[in-house]
Amino acid sequence: MNKKIIKLEQVILSHQKGDLKSARVGYLKYLKKYPKHPDALHLLGLIEFQEGDVLKARKLIKQAIELEPRSAMYLANLGRVEKVGGRINEAEIAFQLALDIEPRNPEVQTDLSAISIGLGRFEKAKNLAKTALSVNPVNSNALLNFGLAELGLGLRQSALTAFRDACACNENNAEAHFQYARMLHEAGDIGLALNEYKKAIKINPTMAEAYCNLGNIHREKADFYMALESYEQAIKLKPECPEIYANQGIALHEMGRLHEAIKVYRKGLLLQPDDAETHRNLSMALLYIKKFKEGWKEFEWRWRTKKFLPFRRNWSKPQWMGQKLRGKTILVHAEQGFGDSIQFSRYLPMISNKGAQVIVECPSELTGLIAQIRGVAKTIHTRELISVYDYHVPMMSLAGLFNEKLKFPSQSSGYICLPKTNIIHWRNRIKNNSGKLKVGLVWRGNKAHPRDAWRSIDLKSFEPLIKIKELDIFLLQKGLGAWQILVVNY
């Protein structure tokens, strides 16, 4: 009897040393003599699992469980095999059976916690992780799962702390570094996030998501070549991931390499045809290169993007898609910033020319200006209740509906009108006899705009222009940034 045990222990020793080939031969020889030995079946199953054959691993470990149904270790390893094989529900059952046998096993609690996160059962996952941590407070994977559960429950600060602690408990936990980096990135701590993504990649060089997010940080810092390098590495590792192409396309887009960006956007859409964000980005690139027909069509995807979800409304009347308008009332609603509303209001006279009564919904600051445009019967401020209309249409959809190519817009010349009293007032205010060219400066936009850092500057940046003696400079900034007028001295 001792001789048999020693032989199996020798095989196990080879297995522990990583000599899988010798261990496999040993287990097979042992099973030939003892075909119903549960440990040998289980351990041979683990070798198959280590070498990537999930089907064989599952079969062998199940045979071991049939012989030894009360082995928590066998059940836990079956759960791990099922998880890797994508059979999440079966993995959950196996882990739960293992816990029924060993309720205080922190490793199995951690495994089941991870499965619960994947199934969206965040409260259960959190409780399991907490129980595991009560046994072993420095269990890095349990801390990681606790953080993921908290994140699923919307408790972001608690999640951030858990990810940080998971990294501290095990510096080689690549997933913990990745999740910590994600949270830091979203919080705007770009420098620390960059370092954490690099740590994750150093530990696990096959982590495509970390390369992709690292590329996003480089892109945000306008380090586009480094961004492209990161995206290329991510694509090598995970060529079927549409998100990587979406981000690579944005980098190329922002570099002005529009034709390349369009090709990359299309690659991403082949993998994920309903990706609204990429459709919208594709539309902008197409419009830049004057592919107007497809560009305006793609632009309609904006209503499915995260940015536009808050602005989507349930309209009581149908959207105008080109139907006859004579004798009808149409509600045109502005949708984005002041500049977009002013620019696209050029199409309002074109709607009026079709015989429609045009009502325009826009920000209250613009109602007076929009009301001056020819063909506008009435303006109302945003969300003001109105029920008497036949059709509605978003203002920025008008270009596509009129098949506008923007070469020589037929109604664009002089579409903004002002009351004569306003014209006289401002003419007198800026009038002088210097003969110099008059230049008006505005240097800041809406601080809430996600790209404000890219488009707003300080007044001091205009110093070389302001010092040109042949110019009359008028500082027109209002609101945020106007205070800088008080400190200039030119």
Side-chain angles (χ1 to χ4, degrees), residues 34-83:
Y34 304 100
K36 291 189 176 182
H37 194 286
D39 277 349
L41 286 165
H42 168 248
L43 291 167
L44 182 58
L46 290 185
I47 284 184
E48 297 293 356
F49 184 44
Q50 287 173 276
E51 294 191 336
D53 195 329
V54 172
L55 293 177
K56 285 185 180 179
R58 179 189 300 133
K59 182 179 178 181
L60 287 161
I61 295 174
K62 279 190 170 183
Q63 287 176 15
I65 292 170
E66 286 175 9
L67 295 165
E68 194 68 59
R70 296 291 297 170
S71 171
M73 180 172 60
Y74 295 175
L75 287 161
N77 281 329
L78 176 63
R80 290 161 193 142
V81 169
E82 298 287 31
K83 180 183 177 183

Short mmCIF file of all heavy atoms in Angstrom, two decimals, residues 34-83:
data_model
loop_
_atom_site.label_atom_id
_atom_site.label_comp_id
_atom_site.label_asym_id
_atom_site.label_seq_id
_atom_site.Cartn_x
_atom_site.Cartn_y
_atom_site.Cartn_z
N TYR A 34 -5.19 1.69 -11.49
CA TYR A 34 -6.28 2.04 -10.57
C TYR A 34 -7.22 3.03 -11.29
O TYR A 34 -7.18 4.23 -11.04
CB TYR A 34 -5.73 2.68 -9.29
CG TYR A 34 -4.72 1.83 -8.59
CD1 TYR A 34 -3.35 2.09 -8.73
CD2 TYR A 34 -5.13 0.77 -7.79
CE1 TYR A 34 -2.43 1.30 -8.07
CE2 TYR A 34 -4.20 -0.03 -7.13
CZ TYR A 34 -2.84 0.24 -7.28
OH TYR A 34 -1.91 -0.55 -6.64
N PRO A 35 -8.05 2.54 -12.20
CA PRO A 35 -8.88 3.41 -13.05
C PRO A 35 -9.90 4.25 -12.29
O PRO A 35 -10.42 5.22 -12.84
CB PRO A 35 -9.57 2.43 -14.00
CG PRO A 35 -9.51 1.11 -13.31
CD PRO A 35 -8.26 1.11 -12.50
N LYS A 36 -10.19 3.92 -11.06
CA LYS A 36 -11.19 4.69 -10.31
C LYS A 36 -10.57 5.42 -9.12
O LYS A 36 -11.21 5.61 -8.08
CB LYS A 36 -12.31 3.76 -9.83
CG LYS A 36 -13.16 3.23 -10.99
CD LYS A 36 -14.38 2.49 -10.48
CE LYS A 36 -15.27 2.06 -11.64
NZ LYS A 36 -16.50 1.38 -11.19
N HIS A 37 -9.33 5.82 -9.31
CA HIS A 37 -8.68 6.56 -8.23
C HIS A 37 -9.04 8.06 -8.40
O HIS A 37 -8.61 8.71 -9.35
CB HIS A 37 -7.17 6.37 -8.30
CG HIS A 37 -6.48 6.81 -7.04
ND1 HIS A 37 -6.31 8.13 -6.71
CD2 HIS A 37 -5.93 6.09 -6.01
CE1 HIS A 37 -5.67 8.23 -5.57
NE2 HIS A 37 -5.43 6.99 -5.11
N PRO A 38 -9.84 8.65 -7.49
CA PRO A 38 -10.33 10.02 -7.68
C PRO A 38 -9.23 11.08 -7.74
O PRO A 38 -9.30 11.99 -8.56
CB PRO A 38 -11.25 10.25 -6.47
CG PRO A 38 -10.84 9.22 -5.46
CD PRO A 38 -10.34 8.05 -6.24
N ASP A 39 -8.21 10.96 -6.91
CA ASP A 39 -7.13 11.96 -6.92
C ASP A 39 -6.41 11.97 -8.26
O ASP A 39 -6.11 13.03 -8.82
CB ASP A 39 -6.13 11.69 -5.79
CG ASP A 39 -6.59 12.26 -4.46
OD1 ASP A 39 -7.56 13.04 -4.48
OD2 ASP A 39 -5.99 11.92 -3.43
N ALA A 40 -6.11 10.79 -8.78
CA ALA A 40 -5.40 10.71 -10.06
C ALA A 40 -6.24 11.28 -11.19
O ALA A 40 -5.74 12.00 -12.06
CB ALA A 40 -5.02 9.25 -10.35
N LEU A 41 -7.54 10.98 -11.20
CA LEU A 41 -8.45 11.54 -12.22
C LEU A 41 -8.49 13.07 -12.12
O LEU A 41 -8.42 13.78 -13.12
CB LEU A 41 -9.85 10.95 -12.04
CG LEU A 41 -10.04 9.49 -12.47
CD1 LEU A 41 -11.33 8.93 -11.90
CD2 LEU A 41 -10.02 9.38 -13.99
N HIS A 42 -8.63 13.53 -10.90
CA HIS A 42 -8.71 14.99 -10.67
C HIS A 42 -7.42 15.68 -11.11
O HIS A 42 -7.45 16.70 -11.82
CB HIS A 42 -8.97 15.23 -9.17
CG HIS A 42 -8.80 16.66 -8.76
ND1 HIS A 42 -7.77 17.07 -7.94
CD2 HIS A 42 -9.50 17.77 -9.06
CE1 HIS A 42 -7.86 18.36 -7.74
NE2 HIS A 42 -8.91 18.82 -8.41
N LEU A 43 -6.28 15.12 -10.74
CA LEU A 43 -5.00 15.75 -11.06
C LEU A 43 -4.70 15.69 -12.56
O LEU A 43 -4.16 16.64 -13.13
CB LEU A 43 -3.88 15.09 -10.26
CG LEU A 43 -3.94 15.37 -8.74
CD1 LEU A 43 -3.02 14.42 -7.99
CD2 LEU A 43 -3.60 16.81 -8.45
N LEU A 44 -5.08 14.60 -13.21
CA LEU A 44 -4.93 14.53 -14.66
C LEU A 44 -5.83 15.57 -15.33
O LEU A 44 -5.44 16.21 -16.32
CB LEU A 44 -5.25 13.13 -15.17
CG LEU A 44 -5.08 12.90 -16.68
CD1 LEU A 44 -3.64 13.19 -17.12
CD2 LEU A 44 -5.47 11.47 -17.05
N GLY A 45 -7.00 15.77 -14.75
CA GLY A 45 -7.90 16.81 -15.25
C GLY A 45 -7.27 18.19 -15.13
O GLY A 45 -7.40 19.03 -16.04
N LEU A 46 -6.57 18.44 -14.05
CA LEU A 46 -5.89 19.73 -13.87
C LEU A 46 -4.80 19.94 -14.91
O LEU A 46 -4.59 21.06 -15.40
CB LEU A 46 -5.31 19.84 -12.47
CG LEU A 46 -6.31 19.98 -11.31
CD1 LEU A 46 -5.57 20.19 -9.99
CD2 LEU A 46 -7.28 21.12 -11.56
N ILE A 47 -4.09 18.84 -15.27
CA ILE A 47 -3.06 18.96 -16.32
C ILE A 47 -3.73 19.34 -17.65
O ILE A 47 -3.24 20.23 -18.37
CB ILE A 47 -2.26 17.65 -16.46
CG1 ILE A 47 -1.28 17.53 -15.30
CG2 ILE A 47 -1.50 17.61 -17.79
CD1 ILE A 47 -0.35 16.34 -15.36
N GLU A 48 -4.85 18.70 -17.97
CA GLU A 48 -5.57 19.05 -19.21
C GLU A 48 -6.00 20.53 -19.17
O GLU A 48 -5.92 21.24 -20.17
CB GLU A 48 -6.79 18.15 -19.38
CG GLU A 48 -6.49 16.68 -19.54
CD GLU A 48 -5.76 16.34 -20.83
OE1 GLU A 48 -5.55 17.24 -21.67
OE2 GLU A 48 -5.38 15.17 -21.01
N PHE A 49 -6.43 20.96 -18.00
CA PHE A 49 -6.85 22.36 -17.83
C PHE A 49 -5.67 23.31 -18.03
O PHE A 49 -5.78 24.32 -18.73
CB PHE A 49 -7.46 22.53 -16.44
CG PHE A 49 -8.02 23.89 -16.16
CD1 PHE A 49 -8.79 24.56 -17.09
CD2 PHE A 49 -7.78 24.51 -14.94
CE1 PHE A 49 -9.32 25.82 -16.82
CE2 PHE A 49 -8.30 25.76 -14.66
CZ PHE A 49 -9.08 26.42 -15.60
N GLN A 50 -4.52 22.95 -17.44
CA GLN A 50 -3.33 23.78 -17.59
C GLN A 50 -2.88 23.88 -19.04
O GLN A 50 -2.31 24.88 -19.45
CB GLN A 50 -2.19 23.22 -16.72
CG GLN A 50 -2.38 23.45 -15.22
CD GLN A 50 -1.32 22.74 -14.40
OE1 GLN A 50 -1.45 21.55 -14.10
NE2 GLN A 50 -0.27 23.46 -14.04
N GLU A 51 -3.14 22.82 -19.80
CA GLU A 51 -2.72 22.81 -21.21
C GLU A 51 -3.83 23.28 -22.14
O GLU A 51 -3.69 23.22 -23.36
CB GLU A 51 -2.23 21.41 -21.59
CG GLU A 51 -0.96 21.03 -20.83
CD GLU A 51 -0.29 19.77 -21.36
OE1 GLU A 51 -0.99 18.94 -21.98
OE2 GLU A 51 0.93 19.63 -21.16
N GLY A 52 -4.94 23.76 -21.58
CA GLY A 52 -5.98 24.41 -22.38
C GLY A 52 -7.07 23.53 -22.92
O GLY A 52 -7.91 24.00 -23.69
N ASP A 53 -7.13 22.26 -22.54
CA ASP A 53 -8.20 21.38 -23.03
C ASP A 53 -9.31 21.33 -21.99
O ASP A 53 -9.33 20.46 -21.11
CB ASP A 53 -7.66 19.98 -23.33
CG ASP A 53 -8.62 19.16 -24.19
OD1 ASP A 53 -9.83 19.39 -24.06
OD2 ASP A 53 -8.14 18.32 -24.97
N VAL A 54 -10.23 22.26 -22.09
CA VAL A 54 -11.30 22.40 -21.10
C VAL A 54 -12.23 21.19 -21.12
O VAL A 54 -12.69 20.72 -20.06
CB VAL A 54 -12.09 23.70 -21.35
CG1 VAL A 54 -13.32 23.77 -20.46
CG2 VAL A 54 -11.19 24.91 -21.10
N LEU A 55 -12.52 20.67 -22.29
CA LEU A 55 -13.46 19.54 -22.40
C LEU A 55 -12.93 18.30 -21.68
O LEU A 55 -13.64 17.65 -20.92
CB LEU A 55 -13.73 19.22 -23.87
CG LEU A 55 -14.51 20.30 -24.65
CD1 LEU A 55 -14.65 19.90 -26.11
CD2 LEU A 55 -15.89 20.52 -24.04
N LYS A 56 -11.66 17.96 -21.93
CA LYS A 56 -11.06 16.80 -21.26
C LYS A 56 -10.96 17.03 -19.76
O LYS A 56 -11.19 16.12 -18.95
CB LYS A 56 -9.68 16.50 -21.85
CG LYS A 56 -9.71 15.84 -23.21
CD LYS A 56 -8.30 15.48 -23.67
CE LYS A 56 -8.32 14.81 -25.04
NZ LYS A 56 -6.94 14.47 -25.52
N ALA A 57 -10.60 18.25 -19.38
CA ALA A 57 -10.48 18.58 -17.96
C ALA A 57 -11.82 18.40 -17.26
O ALA A 57 -11.90 17.80 -16.17
CB ALA A 57 -9.98 20.01 -17.81
N ARG A 58 -12.88 18.91 -17.88
CA ARG A 58 -14.21 18.80 -17.28
C ARG A 58 -14.60 17.33 -17.10
O ARG A 58 -15.09 16.92 -16.04
CB ARG A 58 -15.23 19.51 -18.16
CG ARG A 58 -16.67 19.43 -17.63
CD ARG A 58 -17.67 19.96 -18.65
NE ARG A 58 -17.40 21.33 -18.96
CZ ARG A 58 -17.36 21.82 -20.20
NH1 ARG A 58 -17.51 21.01 -21.24
NH2 ARG A 58 -17.14 23.10 -20.41
N LYS A 59 -14.36 16.52 -18.12
CA LYS A 59 -14.74 15.10 -18.08
C LYS A 59 -14.01 14.37 -16.96
O LYS A 59 -14.62 13.61 -16.18
CB LYS A 59 -14.42 14.45 -19.43
CG LYS A 59 -14.83 12.99 -19.52
CD LYS A 59 -14.50 12.43 -20.89
CE LYS A 59 -14.85 10.95 -20.97
NZ LYS A 59 -14.51 10.37 -22.30
N LEU A 60 -12.71 14.57 -16.85
CA LEU A 60 -11.92 13.88 -15.84
C LEU A 60 -12.28 14.31 -14.42
O LEU A 60 -12.41 13.48 -13.51
CB LEU A 60 -10.43 14.12 -16.09
CG LEU A 60 -9.85 13.37 -17.31
CD1 LEU A 60 -8.53 14.02 -17.75
CD2 LEU A 60 -9.65 11.89 -16.97
N ILE A 61 -12.46 15.63 -14.21
CA ILE A 61 -12.78 16.11 -12.86
C ILE A 61 -14.17 15.66 -12.45
O ILE A 61 -14.42 15.32 -11.28
CB ILE A 61 -12.62 17.64 -12.79
CG1 ILE A 61 -11.15 18.03 -13.01
CG2 ILE A 61 -13.09 18.17 -11.44
CD1 ILE A 61 -10.89 19.52 -13.10
N LYS A 62 -15.09 15.60 -13.41
CA LYS A 62 -16.43 15.10 -13.10
C LYS A 62 -16.39 13.63 -12.69
O LYS A 62 -17.14 13.20 -11.80
CB LYS A 62 -17.36 15.30 -14.30
CG LYS A 62 -17.92 16.72 -14.40
CD LYS A 62 -19.02 16.78 -15.44
CE LYS A 62 -19.75 18.12 -15.38
NZ LYS A 62 -20.88 18.16 -16.35
N GLN A 63 -15.52 12.86 -13.36
CA GLN A 63 -15.36 11.45 -12.97
C GLN A 63 -14.86 11.35 -11.54
O GLN A 63 -15.31 10.49 -10.76
CB GLN A 63 -14.39 10.75 -13.93
CG GLN A 63 -14.97 10.49 -15.31
CD GLN A 63 -13.94 9.88 -16.26
OE1 GLN A 63 -12.89 9.40 -15.83
NE2 GLN A 63 -14.24 9.91 -17.55
N ALA A 64 -13.92 12.22 -11.18
CA ALA A 64 -13.40 12.22 -9.81
C ALA A 64 -14.51 12.57 -8.81
O ALA A 64 -14.60 11.98 -7.73
CB ALA A 64 -12.25 13.22 -9.70
N ILE A 65 -15.38 13.53 -9.18
CA ILE A 65 -16.47 13.96 -8.29
C ILE A 65 -17.49 12.84 -8.10
O ILE A 65 -18.03 12.66 -7.01
CB ILE A 65 -17.14 15.24 -8.83
CG1 ILE A 65 -16.15 16.42 -8.73
CG2 ILE A 65 -18.43 15.55 -8.08
CD1 ILE A 65 -16.59 17.67 -9.45
N GLU A 66 -17.74 12.08 -9.16
CA GLU A 66 -18.66 10.94 -9.02
C GLU A 66 -18.15 9.94 -7.99
O GLU A 66 -18.94 9.32 -7.26
CB GLU A 66 -18.83 10.25 -10.38
CG GLU A 66 -19.68 11.05 -11.37
CD GLU A 66 -19.72 10.42 -12.75
OE1 GLU A 66 -19.21 9.27 -12.89
OE2 GLU A 66 -20.24 11.05 -13.68
N LEU A 67 -16.83 9.79 -7.95
CA LEU A 67 -16.24 8.87 -6.98
C LEU A 67 -16.11 9.48 -5.59
O LEU A 67 -16.15 8.76 -4.58
CB LEU A 67 -14.84 8.44 -7.48
CG LEU A 67 -14.84 7.62 -8.78
CD1 LEU A 67 -13.43 7.57 -9.37
CD2 LEU A 67 -15.35 6.20 -8.50
N GLU A 68 -15.97 10.82 -5.54
CA GLU A 68 -15.77 11.51 -4.26
C GLU A 68 -16.62 12.79 -4.27
O GLU A 68 -16.11 13.91 -4.38
CB GLU A 68 -14.29 11.86 -4.10
CG GLU A 68 -13.89 12.27 -2.70
CD GLU A 68 -13.97 11.13 -1.70
OE1 GLU A 68 -13.29 10.12 -1.92
OE2 GLU A 68 -14.73 11.27 -0.74
N PRO A 69 -17.95 12.65 -4.15
CA PRO A 69 -18.85 13.81 -4.29
C PRO A 69 -18.72 14.86 -3.19
O PRO A 69 -19.21 15.98 -3.35
CB PRO A 69 -20.24 13.17 -4.30
CG PRO A 69 -20.07 11.84 -3.64
CD PRO A 69 -18.67 11.40 -3.95
N ARG A 70 -18.06 14.56 -2.08
CA ARG A 70 -17.95 15.51 -0.98
C ARG A 70 -16.60 16.22 -0.97
O ARG A 70 -16.21 16.81 0.04
CB ARG A 70 -18.15 14.79 0.36
CG ARG A 70 -19.53 14.19 0.56
CD ARG A 70 -20.59 15.25 0.74
NE ARG A 70 -20.36 16.04 1.94
CZ ARG A 70 -21.02 17.16 2.24
NH1 ARG A 70 -21.93 17.64 1.40
NH2 ARG A 70 -20.76 17.82 3.34
N SER A 71 -15.90 16.21 -2.09
CA SER A 71 -14.61 16.89 -2.15
C SER A 71 -14.81 18.34 -2.60
O SER A 71 -15.12 18.61 -3.77
CB SER A 71 -13.65 16.18 -3.11
OG SER A 71 -12.49 16.97 -3.31
N ALA A 72 -14.65 19.28 -1.67
CA ALA A 72 -14.78 20.69 -2.02
C ALA A 72 -13.72 21.11 -3.03
O ALA A 72 -13.97 21.95 -3.91
CB ALA A 72 -14.66 21.55 -0.75
N MET A 73 -12.53 20.52 -2.93
CA MET A 73 -11.45 20.87 -3.85
C MET A 73 -11.80 20.48 -5.29
O MET A 73 -11.60 21.25 -6.22
CB MET A 73 -10.16 20.17 -3.42
CG MET A 73 -8.97 20.47 -4.32
SD MET A 73 -7.42 19.83 -3.66
CE MET A 73 -7.78 18.07 -3.57
N TYR A 74 -12.34 19.28 -5.46
CA TYR A 74 -12.73 18.84 -6.81
C TYR A 74 -13.79 19.78 -7.39
O TYR A 74 -13.72 20.20 -8.55
CB TYR A 74 -13.29 17.41 -6.78
CG TYR A 74 -12.34 16.32 -6.39
CD1 TYR A 74 -12.80 15.01 -6.24
CD2 TYR A 74 -10.99 16.56 -6.14
CE1 TYR A 74 -11.96 13.97 -5.87
CE2 TYR A 74 -10.13 15.53 -5.75
CZ TYR A 74 -10.62 14.24 -5.61
OH TYR A 74 -9.79 13.22 -5.24
N LEU A 75 -14.79 20.08 -6.58
CA LEU A 75 -15.90 20.94 -7.03
C LEU A 75 -15.41 22.34 -7.37
O LEU A 75 -15.83 22.94 -8.36
CB LEU A 75 -16.99 21.00 -5.96
CG LEU A 75 -17.83 19.72 -5.82
CD1 LEU A 75 -18.55 19.69 -4.48
CD2 LEU A 75 -18.84 19.62 -6.97
N ALA A 76 -14.50 22.86 -6.53
CA ALA A 76 -13.97 24.21 -6.79
C ALA A 76 -13.20 24.24 -8.10
O ALA A 76 -13.34 25.17 -8.91
CB ALA A 76 -13.07 24.64 -5.64
N ASN A 77 -12.39 23.20 -8.34
CA ASN A 77 -11.63 23.17 -9.59
C ASN A 77 -12.54 22.95 -10.80
O ASN A 77 -12.28 23.48 -11.88
CB ASN A 77 -10.54 22.10 -9.53
CG ASN A 77 -9.34 22.57 -8.73
OD1 ASN A 77 -9.02 23.76 -8.71
ND2 ASN A 77 -8.66 21.65 -8.05
N LEU A 78 -13.62 22.20 -10.62
CA LEU A 78 -14.59 22.07 -11.70
C LEU A 78 -15.19 23.45 -12.01
O LEU A 78 -15.38 23.81 -13.17
CB LEU A 78 -15.70 21.09 -11.30
CG LEU A 78 -16.83 20.95 -12.33
CD1 LEU A 78 -16.30 20.39 -13.66
CD2 LEU A 78 -17.96 20.06 -11.79
N GLY A 79 -15.48 24.22 -10.94
CA GLY A 79 -16.00 25.57 -11.15
C GLY A 79 -15.05 26.44 -11.96
O GLY A 79 -15.46 27.18 -12.85
N ARG A 80 -13.75 26.32 -11.68
CA ARG A 80 -12.75 27.11 -12.41
C ARG A 80 -12.67 26.68 -13.88
O ARG A 80 -12.53 27.52 -14.77
CB ARG A 80 -11.40 26.98 -11.72
CG ARG A 80 -11.36 27.71 -10.37
CD ARG A 80 -10.26 27.28 -9.44
NE ARG A 80 -10.51 27.82 -8.10
CZ ARG A 80 -10.28 27.19 -6.96
NH1 ARG A 80 -9.78 25.96 -6.97
NH2 ARG A 80 -10.55 27.76 -5.81
N VAL A 81 -12.81 25.38 -14.11
CA VAL A 81 -12.80 24.87 -15.49
C VAL A 81 -14.05 25.38 -16.23
O VAL A 81 -13.96 25.85 -17.37
CB VAL A 81 -12.75 23.33 -15.50
CG1 VAL A 81 -13.01 22.79 -16.90
CG2 VAL A 81 -11.40 22.84 -14.99
N GLU A 82 -15.19 25.30 -15.58
CA GLU A 82 -16.43 25.74 -16.21
C GLU A 82 -16.39 27.24 -16.51
O GLU A 82 -16.87 27.69 -17.56
CB GLU A 82 -17.63 25.43 -15.31
CG GLU A 82 -17.86 23.95 -15.01
CD GLU A 82 -18.42 23.17 -16.20
OE1 GLU A 82 -18.12 23.52 -17.36
OE2 GLU A 82 -19.15 22.20 -15.97
N LYS A 83 -15.79 28.00 -15.61
CA LYS A 83 -15.70 29.45 -15.83
C LYS A 83 -14.87 29.77 -17.06
O LYS A 83 -15.27 30.57 -17.92
CB LYS A 83 -15.08 30.12 -14.60
CG LYS A 83 -14.94 31.63 -14.73
CD LYS A 83 -14.26 32.23 -13.50
CE LYS A 83 -14.06 33.73 -13.67
NZ LYS A 83 -13.34 34.33 -12.52
#
